[in-house]
Amino acid sequence: MACASRLHLHSPSLTRAIIPVLHHPTALSTAFLHRLNRFTSPARFTSSVNQTNHLLTLVRAKAKRGFSSKEDKIATTEDLRFEPPLKIVEYPDPILRKRNKRIGTFDENLKQLVDEMFDVMYKTDGIGLSAPQVGINVQLMVFNPVGERGEGQEIVLVNPRVMKYSMKTLPFNEGCLSFPRIYADVERPESVKIDAQDINGARFTVDLSGLPARVFQHEFDHLQGILFFDRMTDDVLDSIRAQLEVSTTFCIILILPNMPRKINLLSWLGISVTTGDYIID
């Protein structure tokens, strides 16, 4: 991907920063097909599409809100525990919708986690990665707009917060490691000013524009439990709907007659609903 970009870093200690690009096919699992054959038929499948699309639209609308920073919890040692090699978490795993905790400990374990995240990012041909995408629900992202080990600039952002978005927005064809082989246009602000901490815990501000700004916003959404299709227009979403068939089909099964409906679906997506609010478990 070619994109003019500018990167200003205001932290001397910031040395190592994500819109993943993917090239890995997915397949229907035997277990999934067994469940599909057991619970649905062609007629029921077709009649449930409209209900499912409507419910997914509600989920998307709620997801766009993200989380309140006031409710953030601090990650424990257990939250940051991992075993290499890391693996990419793919949609619709509920991990991608869960709340991500703030990091309060800056130690060797965190540095090792960052190294492992860069490693899996490069191996999967990505240019950025967020912690929830490798199954760790903490506020951490890494990216390198060049996407090549040893080239460009590796950036690590811990507990990032957006201070300002530009008024100007631009569409751009995005991909995501958690959505293998799916690409579609997403409109985002052209530039963004953020506040974050580096790998050592030092706080800094950074102004991003062009591709780095795009990558940051994609990964920041992940930290908010927001996925890139949540940002798409209805027309664009329709263009990739067939590629989301696996997850959509499973949702249809959950709303068939004689089965628990909305709460089961939202629960499966990692979402609980209380008095109309959107809460991630």
Side-chain angles (χ1 to χ4, degrees), residues 4 22 80 130 135 147 191 243 272:
L22 23 133
L80 287 160
S130 66
S191 61
Q243 294 171 277
S272 64

Side-chain angles (χ1 to χ4, degrees), residues 28-37 245-247 249-250 253:
L28 290 173
S29 68
T30 302
F32 171 80
L33 290 173
H34 175 73
R35 270 170 36 220
L36 177 59
N37 291 331
E245 183 180 16
V246 174
S247 56
T249 301
F250 191 73
I253 294 171

Side-chain angles (χ1 to χ4, degrees), residues 248-267:
T248 303
T249 301
F250 191 73
C251 292
I252 290 173
I253 294 171
L254 291 177
I255 63 171
L256 288 175
N258 303 319
M259 295 184 68
R261 300 192 175 195
K262 192 171 186 179
I263 297 303
N264 269 4
L265 169 60
L266 296 177
S267 237

Side-chain angles (χ1 to χ4, degrees), residues 106-123:
F106 298 82
D107 56 9
E108 285 303 314
N109 182 73
L110 180 61
K111 292 177 181 178
Q112 290 174 15
L113 173 57
V114 166
D115 287 341
E116 290 293 330
M117 287 177 64
F118 272 119
D119 187 57
V120 70
M121 185 191 82
Y122 291 130
K123 286 179 178 177

Side-chain angles (χ1 to χ4, degrees), residues 23-84:
H23 300 87
H24 302 287
T26 54
L28 290 173
S29 68
T30 302
F32 171 80
L33 290 173
H34 175 73
R35 270 170 36 220
L36 177 59
N37 291 331
R38 179 182 175 189
F39 288 117
T40 191
S41 67
R44 285 168 127 187
F45 182 93
T46 302
S47 66
S48 299
V49 169
N50 289 338
Q51 295 180 65
T52 301
N53 288 344
H54 174 67
L55 186 52
L56 289 177
T57 298
L58 294 177
V59 172
R60 287 178 60 231
K62 290 176 179 293
K64 290 182 182 180
R65 302 175 191 174
F67 304 126
S68 168
S69 60
K70 295 180 180 179
E71 300 173 359
D72 288 343
K73 296 180 179 179
I74 300 298
T76 65
T77 301
E78 188 62 32
D79 292 324
L80 287 160
R81 189 184 302 279
F82 70 95
E83 291 186 12

